[in-house]
Amino acid sequence: MTATRRLLQAARTLQREQLAALSATVAVVTDISRCVHALQRERGSSIIYLGSGGSRFGAQRDQRVADSERAQATLEQRLAPWTAPDAGGALPRGLANVRLLLSVAAVWQDLDGLPDLRHRIATQQLSADDTLRAFNQLIGHLLQVIFEAADTASDPDIMRRLVSLFHFIQGKELAGQERACGALGFTLAHFDAPHRDTLEALIGSQRRCFDTFAEFTSPDSLTRWQQLQSGPLNDTLEALRELACSGKPLARTLENPGEQWYAIATQRIDAMHEEETRLLDALRECCRQRLQQAERPDAEEGPDALPQELLWASPVALFTQQQTPTGALSLDTIESRFNRSLVELVQAQNARLQRIGDELESTRQALRERREIERAKGLLMTHQQLTEAQAYRLLRKTAMDQSKPLIEVARSVIQVVEMFEPDA
């Protein structure tokens, strides 16, 4: 076997390993997405069940719990090989990522605690607020797995799809929290200052998530999202949002405003779930095509054939593509043709590589900044005894007051904490 042959085989083997790892990760992401949607529905029915003192949504909650248990079982079955004693050697190389595995461990711990949580809800030993926090934590850990999967992807197209999917699912989760907050305020016919602030923070966070989604998603998906955003459903939702955030008492003439809000918000979330399913289907198809391309037999190209995209580097290839008989070529003609072709091909290749590099760096930069902002929020919550919404509002207000980007303020918070607590 020639050296060229060995190098080509090694490169193709590595490519197949990377794509197999991505495909396995995408399969996990698919099951996580379904589990998140089921838990979101269970969370909503549980809140209404507790808020009504167990008089409403009992049967609905039982059905939602059953749906969540099925989704949980599917996810645990998918993750079971990861927990085997020899998982480190059995997993594709790309899955051996510390942050990704730690995120999955946090999810598994939360899932182990679900039966006890559900028992305490059924016996009304938990408040609605405590239940909301418990579900939010579990869903947040599930989303973190998708975040880490996107951050570790190496294929630019798959990475872009993962990033858009992560931000879309996160935006959908924030929409679910907004639905719960709005339902409470409209049911009480009044939004106090803390609830207004929470609602505004959730709305702002959704918009940022969907802005990032729009930046990375496909044109078809973006068109569908824009249609949803400009439809009558969104107009009604915006009118109710404005009413909730106005600080004025709600008109007594409104008929069942809590149920109206909940129905509209649910309709919007269901439409999001349909788009989420399309995004997942497109992501799986992209992985399938990449793997299919990588698994083509080497014999199709000959024993020592270089990939077609590398043939531009060979001057001989350029000469043999000439249509003019070799005897009719002068030295000037050859040099002119070669130089012109080589320059054009090098420029095209450099432009392609630059686009891929810029795309990867832009994606990773967005993910890094989001991680830093989340860390700054966590530090403020710990050291200032703030809620997540309050911590984010403080960061945002500071950024506006100082005319600085939000990420700069977040980094300043992290630096200050590390200065006084080196081990933080």
Coordinates of all heavy atoms in Angstrom, one line a residue, residues 322-359:
Q322 N -6.4 20.7 -21.3 CA -6.3 21.6 -22.5 C -7.0 21.0 -23.7 O -6.8 19.8 -23.9 CB -4.8 21.9 -22.8 CG -4.0 22.5 -21.7 CD -4.0 24.0 -21.7 OE1 -4.7 24.6 -22.5 NE2 -3.3 24.6 -20.8
Q323 N -7.7 21.7 -24.4 CA -8.3 21.3 -25.6 C -7.4 21.4 -26.8 O -7.6 20.8 -27.8 CB -9.7 22.0 -25.9 CG -10.7 21.8 -24.8 CD -11.1 20.4 -24.6 OE1 -11.3 19.7 -25.6 NE2 -11.2 19.9 -23.3
T324 N -6.4 22.3 -26.7 CA -5.5 22.6 -27.8 C -4.4 21.5 -27.9 O -4.0 21.1 -26.8 CB -4.8 24.0 -27.6 OG1 -5.8 24.9 -27.4 CG2 -4.0 24.3 -28.9
P325 N -4.1 21.0 -29.0 CA -3.0 19.9 -29.1 C -1.7 20.4 -28.4 O -1.4 21.6 -28.6 CB -2.8 19.7 -30.6 CG -4.1 20.1 -31.2 CD -4.6 21.2 -30.3
T326 N -1.1 19.6 -27.7 CA 0.1 20.0 -27.0 C 1.2 20.6 -27.9 O 1.8 21.6 -27.5 CB 0.7 18.7 -26.3 OG1 -0.3 18.2 -25.4 CG2 1.9 19.1 -25.4
G327 N 1.3 20.1 -29.1 CA 2.4 20.6 -30.0 C 2.1 22.0 -30.4 O 3.0 22.7 -30.8
A328 N 0.9 22.5 -30.3 CA 0.5 23.9 -30.7 C 0.7 24.9 -29.6 O 0.5 26.0 -29.8 CB -0.9 23.9 -31.2
L329 N 1.1 24.4 -28.4 CA 1.2 25.3 -27.3 C 2.6 25.9 -27.2 O 3.6 25.2 -27.3 CB 0.9 24.5 -25.9 CG -0.5 24.1 -25.7 CD1 -0.5 23.2 -24.4 CD2 -1.4 25.2 -25.6
S330 N 2.7 27.2 -27.0 CA 3.9 27.8 -26.8 C 4.2 27.9 -25.3 O 3.2 27.7 -24.5 CB 4.0 29.2 -27.4 OG 3.0 30.0 -26.7
L331 N 5.4 28.2 -24.9 CA 5.7 28.3 -23.5 C 4.9 29.4 -22.8 O 4.3 29.3 -21.7 CB 7.2 28.6 -23.3 CG 7.7 28.7 -21.8 CD1 7.4 27.4 -21.1 CD2 9.1 29.1 -21.8
D332 N 4.7 30.5 -23.6 CA 3.9 31.7 -23.0 C 2.5 31.3 -22.8 O 1.9 31.6 -21.9 CB 4.0 32.9 -24.0 CG 5.4 33.5 -24.0 OD1 6.1 33.2 -23.0 OD2 5.7 34.2 -24.9
T333 N 2.0 30.5 -23.8 CA 0.6 30.0 -23.7 C 0.4 29.2 -22.5 O -0.6 29.3 -21.7 CB 0.2 29.3 -24.9 OG1 0.4 30.1 -26.1 CG2 -1.3 28.8 -24.9
I334 N 1.3 28.2 -22.3 CA 1.2 27.3 -21.1 C 1.3 28.1 -19.8 O 0.4 28.0 -18.9 CB 2.3 26.3 -21.2 CG1 2.1 25.3 -22.4 CG2 2.3 25.5 -19.8 CD1 3.2 24.3 -22.5
E335 N 2.2 29.0 -19.7 CA 2.4 29.8 -18.5 C 1.2 30.7 -18.2 O 0.7 30.8 -17.1 CB 3.7 30.6 -18.6 CG 5.0 29.7 -18.5 CD 6.2 30.6 -18.5 OE1 6.1 31.8 -18.9 OE2 7.3 30.1 -18.2
S336 N 0.7 31.3 -19.3 CA -0.4 32.2 -19.1 C -1.7 31.4 -18.7 O -2.4 31.8 -17.8 CB -0.7 32.9 -20.5 OG -1.9 33.7 -20.3
R337 N -1.9 30.3 -19.3 CA -3.1 29.4 -19.0 C -2.9 28.9 -17.5 O -3.8 28.9 -16.7 CB -3.2 28.3 -19.9 CG -4.2 27.2 -19.5 CD -5.6 27.7 -19.6 NE -6.6 26.7 -19.2 CZ -7.1 25.8 -20.1 NH1 -6.8 25.9 -21.4 NH2 -7.9 24.9 -19.7
F338 N -1.7 28.4 -17.2 CA -1.5 27.9 -15.9 C -1.6 28.9 -14.8 O -2.3 28.7 -13.8 CB -0.1 27.3 -15.8 CG 0.3 26.9 -14.5 CD1 -0.2 25.7 -13.9 CD2 1.3 27.6 -13.8 CE1 0.2 25.4 -12.6 CE2 1.6 27.2 -12.5 CZ 1.1 26.1 -11.9
N339 N -1.0 30.1 -15.0 CA -1.0 31.1 -14.0 C -2.5 31.6 -13.8 O -2.9 31.8 -12.6 CB -0.1 32.3 -14.4 CG 1.3 31.9 -14.3 OD1 1.7 31.0 -13.5 ND2 2.2 32.6 -15.0
R340 N -3.2 31.8 -14.9 CA -4.5 32.3 -14.7 C -5.4 31.3 -14.0 O -6.2 31.7 -13.1 CB -5.1 32.7 -16.1 CG -6.5 33.3 -16.1 CD -7.0 33.7 -17.4 NE -7.1 32.6 -18.4 CZ -6.2 32.4 -19.4 NH1 -5.1 33.2 -19.5 NH2 -6.3 31.4 -20.2
S341 N -5.3 30.1 -14.4 CA -6.2 29.0 -13.8 C -5.8 28.8 -12.4 O -6.7 28.7 -11.5 CB -6.0 27.7 -14.6 OG -6.4 27.9 -15.9
L342 N -4.5 28.8 -12.1 CA -4.1 28.6 -10.7 C -4.6 29.7 -9.8 O -5.1 29.4 -8.7 CB -2.6 28.4 -10.7 CG -2.0 28.1 -9.3 CD1 -2.6 26.8 -8.8 CD2 -0.5 28.0 -9.4
V343 N -4.4 30.9 -10.3 CA -4.8 32.1 -9.4 C -6.3 32.0 -9.2 O -6.8 32.2 -8.0 CB -4.5 33.4 -10.1 CG1 -5.2 34.6 -9.4 CG2 -3.0 33.6 -10.1
E344 N -7.1 31.7 -10.2 CA -8.6 31.6 -10.0 C -9.0 30.5 -9.1 O -9.8 30.7 -8.2 CB -9.2 31.4 -11.4 CG -9.1 32.6 -12.3 CD -9.6 32.3 -13.7 OE1 -9.9 31.1 -14.0 OE2 -9.7 33.2 -14.5
L345 N -8.3 29.3 -9.2 CA -8.6 28.2 -8.4 C -8.2 28.4 -6.9 O -8.9 28.1 -6.0 CB -8.0 26.9 -8.9 CG -8.6 26.4 -10.2 CD1 -7.7 25.3 -10.8 CD2 -10.0 25.8 -9.9
V346 N -7.0 29.0 -6.8 CA -6.6 29.3 -5.4 C -7.5 30.3 -4.7 O -7.9 30.2 -3.6 CB -5.1 29.9 -5.4 CG1 -4.8 30.5 -4.0 CG2 -4.2 28.8 -5.8
Q347 N -7.9 31.3 -5.5 CA -8.8 32.3 -4.9 C -10.2 31.7 -4.5 O -10.7 32.0 -3.5 CB -9.1 33.5 -6.0 CG -7.9 34.4 -6.1 CD -8.1 35.4 -7.2 OE1 -8.9 35.2 -8.1 NE2 -7.3 36.5 -7.2
A348 N -10.7 30.8 -5.4 CA -12.0 30.2 -5.1 C -11.8 29.3 -3.9 O -12.7 29.3 -3.0 CB -12.4 29.4 -6.3
Q349 N -10.7 28.5 -3.8 CA -10.5 27.7 -2.6 C -10.3 28.5 -1.4 O -10.9 28.1 -0.3 CB -9.3 26.8 -2.9 CG -9.0 25.8 -1.7 CD -9.9 24.7 -1.7 OE1 -10.9 24.7 -2.4 NE2 -9.6 23.7 -0.9
N350 N -9.6 29.5 -1.4 CA -9.4 30.4 -0.3 C -10.7 31.0 0.2 O -10.9 31.1 1.4 CB -8.3 31.5 -0.5 CG -6.9 30.9 -0.6 OD1 -6.7 29.8 -0.1 ND2 -6.0 31.7 -1.1
A351 N -11.5 31.4 -0.8 CA -12.8 32.0 -0.4 C -13.7 31.0 0.3 O -14.4 31.3 1.3 CB -13.5 32.6 -1.7
R352 N -13.7 29.8 -0.2 CA -14.5 28.7 0.4 C -14.0 28.4 1.8 O -14.8 28.3 2.7 CB -14.4 27.4 -0.5 CG -15.3 26.3 0.0 CD -15.2 25.1 -0.9 NE -14.0 24.4 -0.7 CZ -13.8 23.5 0.3 NH1 -14.7 23.2 1.1 NH2 -12.6 22.9 0.4
L353 N -12.7 28.3 2.0 CA -12.2 28.0 3.3 C -12.4 29.2 4.3 O -12.7 29.0 5.4 CB -10.7 27.7 3.2 CG -10.3 26.4 2.5 CD1 -8.8 26.3 2.4 CD2 -10.8 25.2 3.2
Q354 N -12.3 30.4 3.7 CA -12.6 31.5 4.6 C -14.0 31.6 5.0 O -14.3 31.9 6.2 CB -12.3 32.8 3.8 CG -12.4 34.1 4.7 CD -11.4 34.1 5.8 OE1 -10.2 33.8 5.6 NE2 -11.9 34.5 7.0
R355 N -15.0 31.2 4.1 CA -16.4 31.2 4.5 C -16.6 30.2 5.6 O -17.4 30.5 6.6 CB -17.2 30.9 3.3 CG -17.4 32.1 2.3 CD -18.5 31.8 1.3 NE -18.4 30.6 0.6 CZ -17.7 30.5 -0.6 NH1 -17.2 31.6 -1.1 NH2 -17.6 29.4 -1.2
I356 N -16.0 29.0 5.4 CA -16.2 28.0 6.4 C -15.6 28.4 7.8 O -16.2 28.3 8.8 CB -15.6 26.6 6.0 CG1 -16.3 26.1 4.8 CG2 -15.6 25.6 7.1 CD1 -15.7 24.9 4.2
G357 N -14.4 29.0 7.7 CA -13.8 29.4 9.0 C -14.6 30.5 9.6 O -14.7 30.5 10.9
D358 N -15.0 31.5 8.9 CA -15.8 32.6 9.4 C -17.1 32.1 10.1 O -17.6 32.5 11.1 CB -16.2 33.6 8.4 CG -14.9 34.4 7.9 OD1 -13.9 34.3 8.6 OD2 -15.0 35.1 6.9
E359 N -17.7 31.1 9.4 CA -19.0 30.5 9.9 C -18.8 29.8 11.2 O -19.5 30.0 12.1 CB -19.5 29.6 8.8 CG -20.9 29.1 9.1 CD -21.5 28.3 7.9 OE1 -21.2 27.1 7.8 OE2 -22.1 28.9 7.0

